[in-house]
Amino acid sequence: MPIKHGLTYPIRTSLTLTTNIIKQASPLTIPYHHILQSKSQRSPKMATRRIISQEKTLLDQPDPNSLSSSSPAQKSNITPAVPSAVIFKLLAFTLAMMVVPIGSYFATVNTLFKGNSTYAGGLAAIMANVVLIGYVLVAMAEDQSDRLEEEKKQKQEGKKDR
């Protein structure tokens, strides 16, 4: 495949070029210096990997999920990743997020606001925000208490090591 000045053609590994063509090429063309290298000097291209006879293939390797006779059976850990207190707090605030705004609307629409649903709806929105802010504050306090407990444990371990 001939190479014209200023034009580029797809690179083929079987294509042999001389250094004169590279010198004549414009700066926008693809550099062909790696094609001119001998096969031993070339960097390895994307190719399939050869399987060494001593190496096990994917099918020959043991299944990590199956119980093997050489390893003892380990007891499964079924404890939840999140403490149950956190789950109960989340469920309580979820229930409060549904009940408090709707309850405040229906409790105040006819009693406090005398049928004005706009004011009752506004109060319901405010109550939803109060529940949300309450959840954020409880979560931040819990995070701080966890951090303080960890610092106390580290201090106690530091005193024991001395």
Side-chain angles (χ1 to χ4, degrees), residues 20-146:
N20 294 335
I21 294 174
I22 293 175
K23 290 177 184 175
Q24 294 175 358
S26 71
L28 299 175
T29 58
I30 301 171
Y32 293 97
H33 66 275
H34 65 277
I35 296 176
L36 297 175
Q37 296 173 348
S38 68
K39 288 185 179 181
S40 63
Q41 294 175 340
R42 290 184 194 162
S43 61
K45 302 286 185 233
M46 296 283 293
T48 57
R49 194 180 101 188
R50 293 183 183 167
I51 298 175
I52 301 172
S53 62
Q54 299 163 348
E55 191 176 300
K56 290 185 177 182
T57 63
L58 183 63
L59 297 175
D60 295 336
Q61 293 177 356
D63 186 17
N65 295 332
S66 67
L67 295 175
S68 63
S69 60
S70 62
S71 66
Q74 295 178 352
K75 191 173 182 179
S76 177
N77 185 4
I78 58 171
T79 59
V82 180
S84 59
V86 173
I87 294 172
F88 290 135
K89 286 178 191 174
L90 179 64
L91 290 175
F93 276 99
T94 301
L95 184 66
M97 195 65 170
M98 290 185 288
V99 172
V100 170
I102 295 171
S104 67
Y105 173 81
F106 285 112
T108 60
V109 72
N110 290 326
T111 58
L112 186 63
F113 298 118
K114 298 183 177 104
N116 191 346
S117 62
T118 304
Y119 290 141
L123 180 67
I126 290 171
M127 294 307 292
N129 285 313
V130 166
V131 171
L132 183 63
I133 291 169
Y135 178 71
V136 169
L137 293 175
V138 167
M140 287 175 46
E142 181 180 341
D143 186 40
Q144 288 176 355
S145 66
D146 290 344

